[in-house]
Amino acid sequence: MVMLALVGCNSEGWSRQGRVWVFAQAQGDDLRMDIHLEAPDGSVPAGARVWLTDPGGGVRLVGFDGHSQSYQFEGTVLRGIWRVEIDSLAAGQLGLSVPVEPIANAPQIVSVQDGLGHRAENYEQLVASTPIRVEWRTVAGAEVYLLEVMVSGTVVQSVQTGEGFYVLPANSIPASSEGTRVSLRVTASSTHGDLYFSKGYYSVSSMESRTFSFEAAP
């Protein structure tokens, strides 16, 4: 699964007439963009003409969604610069360039080992009272990895690292004497821009690994 979140609001997107900012999510091959438009008086113009030009040169009109109060687009992910153009009587003529840079591949968990040398990939039960080392294959373009530990479908621990491994401290996984089913998931992500919009946008692209499960005992 690919997930991408980005917000753009650069000097092009701001004018004396109004402003525009964009939120987008890419999941798998699907892309969704929410284009927010605001008039000088703070109102949301619903009758603007809004269109997108994708990195391949394709142009499509974008309709207004009353529930989200934004102009919404859903289509296929294309890597590159998406161009937003707006013509509104209330907000004026605005334009915004939004980069879409999804991570192409998912990380893969390759080894989970406890402090006694037991390995989950060998279908061995791990001892939760010892440190547990989780390793995964890194992916190109990723800057940060989020490791989530789940028990009965609930996330009981989550940590971030820039490495391709993480050592869970001893006793950090709740385990019963009968054995507890534990699942792991790693999400690779990268960011572009910053929350202050110094480059005019902020984007986050992510890709999840498949869930890796094993048995743990105290």
Side-chain angles (χ1 to χ4, degrees):
M1 180 175 68
V2 185
M3 297 195 66
L4 169 75
L6 50 87
V7 178
C9 193
N10 62 14
S11 58
E12 288 182 288
W14 292 80
S15 78
R16 287 176 293 179
Q17 289 81 26
R19 60 177 180 144
V20 58
W21 64 97
V22 177
F23 175 79
Q25 289 182 306
Q27 192 168 18
D29 294 327
D30 300 323
L31 172 67
R32 169 173 166 165
M33 279 193 177
D34 293 272
I35 302 168
H36 297 268
L37 178 63
E38 185 178 287
D41 63 0
S43 64
V44 178
R49 185 171 183 265
V50 179
W51 65 97
L52 278 171
T53 302
D54 65 36
V59 180
R60 66 287 312 275
L61 289 173
V62 183
F64 185 77
D65 176 72
H67 179 71
S68 64
Q69 292 290 288
S70 67
Y71 293 81
Q72 286 188 354
F73 164 75
E74 294 184 357
T76 302
V77 171
L78 290 176
R79 178 184 300 272
I81 302 299
W82 290 70
R83 181 68 182 172
V84 179
E85 302 284 353
I86 296 173
D87 189 356
S88 167
L89 290 176
Q93 293 182 332
L94 303 169
L96 184 67
S97 296
V98 181
V100 174
E101 296 292 338
I103 294 176
N105 300 304
Q108 179 181 350
I109 297 174
V110 295
S111 178
V112 183
Q113 180 178 350
D114 66 18
L116 300 178
H118 303 129
R119 292 180 175 271
E121 60 269 27
N122 294 335
Y123 306 101
E124 297 175 333
Q125 189 178 64
L126 304 190
V127 179
S129 59
T130 70
I132 294 179
R133 180 185 174 94
V134 184
E135 297 182 22
W136 54 86
R137 291 176 183 165
T138 58
V139 295
E143 300 169 345
V144 176
Y145 297 90
L146 173 68
L147 171 63
E148 294 175 290
V149 182
M150 296 165 285
V151 175
S152 300
T154 301
V155 176
V156 297
Q157 186 176 176
S158 62
V159 292
Q160 284 190 334
T161 177
E163 306 295 334
F165 69 92
Y166 187 81
V167 179
L168 295 166
N171 298 309
S172 62
I173 297 177
S176 66
S177 58
E178 294 81 14
T180 299
R181 191 69 171 172
V182 180
S183 297
L184 304 174
R185 180 173 59 212
V186 174
T187 302
S189 64
S190 64
T191 61
H192 301 275
D194 57 69
L195 289 170
Y196 299 101
F197 306 111
S198 63
K199 295 183 178 180
Y201 58 84
Y202 177 69
S203 68
V204 179
S205 175
S206 62
M207 178 80 88
E208 288 184 355
S209 71
R210 292 183 178 179
T211 301
F212 185 102
S213 299
F214 62 93
E215 291 287 333

